[in-house]
Amino acid sequence: MEGQLHRVDVTVLPAGWNRVEPEIAGNWSPTLSPDGRHLAYVSDRGGAPAVWVQPVGSDLAFRVDTGPEPVSAVAWSSGGGWLACQTAPGGAPRQEVWLVRPDGSDLHQVAGFGDDTADDMRWLPGRPVLALTENLTSAVLVDVTAETRTVVARGDLLSLLDVDPAGRFALLRYGPRGAREIMLRELSTGAEKPVTRGEKAVFSPGGGCVYALSQDGEFPALIRVAGDAVEVLASGGEVEDFTVTADGRTAVVLVNVRGGESEAALIDLDHDGDRVPKPVSPLPGPVVSGPAWSFDASTLAFTAEGPGQPHGVWVWTRETGELRAVSAAPASPEAVHPTLETVTAHDGLTLTGWLFRPGTPGPHPTVLWFHGGPEAQERPGHGPLFQSLVARGIAVFAPNVRGSSGFGRAFVEADNGARRYDAIEDVRSCVTFLRESGIAGRVGIMGRSYGGYLTLAALTAFPELFTVGVDICGMSDFDSFYRHTEPWIAAAAVSKYGHPVHDAALLRDLSPLHRLDRLRAPLLIVHGENDSNVPVIEAERVVASLTERGHPHRYLLFPGEGHELLHRSARAEFLRVTLDWLESHLS
């Protein structure tokens, strides 16, 4: 296998670049070598996501050949000898895990064989052992030295989070979306003890305590659990991620503040009593993710992005406080920065959203954009579509309706089951806000995944409000979604949407496929042919219904893509077609 040596160029974009914003390469999933001198990360600069290795302080990057499939994540072993790479065959949600040497040699698969999917890969500190989960049913340890696989636990909707250094205990996560419990399991007996409600937990390097992102309260908090004692280490706002150094002395936490911006801080884990977090600042972008320490705790890597600033990877040197871009394009000085707006819903609930507004006086043709999840959150990150629309004189409003994360547990759960009608009503509240504020004239609506569902639901519930729509891999009928999606996705979705049998009448009434006769707006339908999260039948049934009725529509199908468009060429085509579609109907 041959690697490719590339100089990572930083391009200064000319004036007017964002008429149609070019597909600038993104970089994510940073992971440091044990000494902090090299960084591995995923980048799509070659057209598809692949693994790259780059010395910190150099602009030369080496592509590691992991085969033809797109890579979604990479992790460097604490011994330095291996990179674990998570790939997405055909761009679909199913994942495989491969190991490769940092020089590109000895590539071989270790998990996700056949129809299995492998997730949550984590190197156990100081050991050549990779922990992962297959099919949300099997917790697996892969010893890369002995080439052995050990199943440490089985169960439904299970994820392996960590194993203690002595190999006596495991941290497992059980349950569907929004109702996940972290359990401490004694491996010799199978006895389990609850730790907290939450998504993420790790053992301390010595194994004497557990650090967890607890969701027992209204907002997630970082806690330390030692025996029966629970200590809150970081709270206030939405604590969304953390990572602990290999020596166990320091944690870095990411906190979601101001409707989606990031703050990062260090916490001294050796210090008893009140801890004063030390901010890591300035951050190179408003949205930060993926923090990762080097094994020697000298260097912190992370991803940052912002308006007109695609995902880039950065390192922060602990001793000097120096912040350095490893592979990151500069933010465009011409990018439009959004304002955070407040919307009052029909029942008095406060909603917020990010408004991207052209520089000319309004009202403007306006597009409503809805994120997926629905437990995700719209944040002020990189959005080529938003910037290109604004450059064409079209405003964009990207709200966080009920069900979004970032605003507490009650807000996330406010659209569960029959409360989904209120989430659909939130769409009308957003349109009312835009028109009463003098922002919007004609209004279009679009979204992806759950946002695509919400688009279809609103277009058929309030057909008089919208001039045009774009459905990107949205669910059109919950019955067919449950029957055709991956089994583990269906099982995890019950707590959010409802049970496909017990709640069949509710789910049918909430399915926009059965109300397409009410649709007035021309509709663009976009889907990846290999999508097994929201299978392509959800789009095909909409297209067939609109074709039968003679309703104006266009179907944009991407072969070789799944639930997300992973290839830059596909994203460029999507951007071109979508911009032309929206502009032709709104302007």
Side-chain angles (χ1 to χ4, degrees):
M1 289 169 291
E2 296 183 358
Q4 302 172 12
L5 196 62
H6 284 252
R7 186 173 301 278
V8 182
D9 294 323
V10 175
T11 303
V12 178
L13 300 171
W17 65 275
N18 59 352
R19 174 68 182 171
V20 176
E21 182 175 325
E23 264 294 319
I24 304 172
N27 311 279
W28 64 93
S29 188
T31 179
L32 284 152
S33 62
D35 59 6
R37 296 175 60 187
H38 291 77
L39 189 74
Y41 55 92
V42 179
S43 176
D44 60 4
R45 65 168 61 98
V51 176
W52 294 75
V53 173
Q54 186 171 339
V56 175
S58 171
D59 59 358
L60 294 177
F62 178 86
R63 184 182 181 276
V64 179
D65 187 356
T66 57
E69 302 295 354
V71 180
S72 54
V74 61
W76 208 315
S77 67
S78 56
W82 293 99
L83 298 174
C85 307
Q86 191 167 279
T87 66
R94 191 183 76 80
Q95 307 273 358
E96 298 175 352
V97 175
W98 293 70
L99 297 183
V100 66
R101 297 288 186 181
D103 65 1
S105 62
D106 200 8
L107 175 69
H108 61 284
Q109 187 178 358
V110 295
F113 296 96
D115 293 331
D116 292 342
T117 187
D119 297 288
D120 298 327
M121 64 180 190
R122 166 178 163 79
W123 289 104
L124 300 186
R127 290 164 282 176
V129 177
L130 189 67
L132 51 88
T133 305
E134 290 185 320
N135 303 326
L136 289 182
T137 57
S138 300
V140 179
L141 294 178
V142 178
D143 188 323
V144 302
T145 302
E147 297 184 353
T148 59
R149 285 168 49 94
T150 304
V151 177
V152 299
R154 294 187 187 277
D156 294 330
L157 296 179
L158 169 150
S159 291
L160 174 61
L161 302 180
D162 203 5
V163 176
D164 79 308
R168 295 178 54 206
F169 298 94
L171 288 168
L172 303 174
R173 188 189 70 207
Y174 291 97
R177 290 157 55 173
R180 287 173 174 155
E181 299 283 346
I182 298 172
M183 306 292 287
L184 178 70
R185 181 186 181 98
E186 187 173 5
L187 296 180
S188 62
T189 66
E192 293 184 346
K193 174 184 177 181
V195 177
T196 188
R197 171 176 170 164
E199 296 278 344
K200 177 177 179 177
V202 297
F203 287 102
S204 64
C209 63
V210 171
Y211 295 101
L213 196 58
S214 172
Q215 294 178 334
D216 274 338
E218 178 63 17
F219 289 91
L222 176 62
I223 64 172
R224 176 160 57 187
V225 181
D228 294 327
V230 178
E231 181 184 6
V232 177
L233 301 176
S235 61
E238 189 106 349
V239 180
E240 60 181 347
D241 202 359
F242 74 95
T243 184
V244 178
T245 55
D247 60 13
R249 301 180 64 182
T250 308
V252 63
V253 294
L254 295 183
V255 184
N256 182 336
V257 298
R258 294 182 296 276
E261 295 181 325
S262 298
E263 289 182 353
L266 303 182
I267 296 177
D268 182 358
L269 300 177
D270 283 343
H271 180 72
D272 294 327
D274 293 335
R275 291 177 173 83
V276 179
K278 178 182 178 183
V280 178
S281 63
L283 295 175
V287 181
V288 171
S289 59
W293 288 104
S294 61
F295 188 71
D296 65 2
S298 66
T299 308
L300 177 69
F302 55 86
T303 300
E305 62 168 319
Q309 177 188 354
H311 282 95
V313 292
W314 300 71
V315 294
W316 178 80
T317 304
R318 186 174 180 178
E319 182 177 352
T320 63
E322 179 187 8
L323 182 67
R324 178 180 295 173
V326 177
S327 184
S332 166
E334 296 188 12
V336 174
H337 289 256
T339 56
L340 187 62
E341 305 293 333
T342 299
V343 177
T344 301
H346 64 284
D347 57 357
L349 185 67
T350 298
L351 314 174
T352 60
W354 293 97
L355 176 63
F356 296 76
R357 197 192 308 237
T360 56
H364 308 281
T366 302
V367 171
L368 272 171
W369 163 271
F370 293 95
H371 63 70
E375 304 95 333
Q377 182 186 10
E378 194 63 47
R379 307 180 70 173
H382 178 55
L385 176 65
F386 296 178
Q387 297 292 331
S388 297
L389 283 168
V390 172
R392 296 181 180 210
I394 300 172
V396 179
F397 186 55
N400 286 301
V401 297
R402 70 192 70 204
S404 304
S405 62
F407 308 95
R409 187 204 296 187
F411 196 87
V412 170
E413 296 177 351
D415 69 340
N416 288 2
R419 286 175 283 183
R420 191 146 321 280
Y421 293 108
D422 289 323
I424 297 170
E425 191 65 38
D426 285 346
V427 179
R428 178 155 58 180
S429 298
C430 289
V431 177
T432 299
F433 159 77
L434 291 169
R435 289 196 165 135
E436 291 183 349
S437 302
I439 295 166
R442 291 182 176 182
V443 177
I445 182 172
M446 66 183 301
R448 69 169 305 275
S449 193
Y450 174 77
Y453 160 78
L454 205 55
T455 294
L456 293 173
L459 283 169
T460 53
F462 320 117
E464 72 283 355
L465 295 183
F466 303 104
T467 303
V468 64
V470 182
D471 160 33
I472 308 163
C473 60
M475 302 94 77
S476 60
D477 179 38
F478 281 111
D479 176 65
S480 59
F481 165 73
Y482 272 115
R483 284 189 288 110
H484 293 97
T485 189
E486 301 285 3
W488 56 89
I489 295 175
V494 169
S495 60
K496 195 68 187 171
Y497 301 127
H499 193 279
V501 176
H502 307 317
D503 301 313
L506 169 68
L507 292 174
R508 179 179 175 83
D509 193 59
L510 284 166
S511 297
L513 181 73
H514 307 299
R515 290 190 173 88
L516 287 179
D517 59 326
R518 302 192 65 204
L519 185 68
R520 296 184 190 174
L523 183 65
L524 172 65
I525 305 103
V526 182
H527 223 101
E529 188 174 40
N530 298 336
D531 192 347
S532 58
N533 183 329
V534 178
V536 71
I537 190 174
E538 297 299 296
E540 291 172 343
R541 297 183 72 191
V542 172
V543 172
S545 177
L546 298 185
T547 300
E548 182 181 356
R549 289 181 171 85
H551 188 88
H553 69 281
R554 178 174 178 179
Y555 185 26
L556 186 61
L557 181 67
F558 286 96
E561 297 286 357
H563 195 54
E564 297 184 18
L565 301 180
L566 298 181
H567 296 80
R568 290 174 63 193
S569 58
R571 296 200 300 274
E573 176 68 4
F574 161 77
L575 187 64
R576 183 188 66 79
V577 171
T578 303
L579 286 171
D580 289 346
W581 178 263
L582 291 171
E583 188 174 36
S584 66
H585 291 287
L586 284 174
S587 297

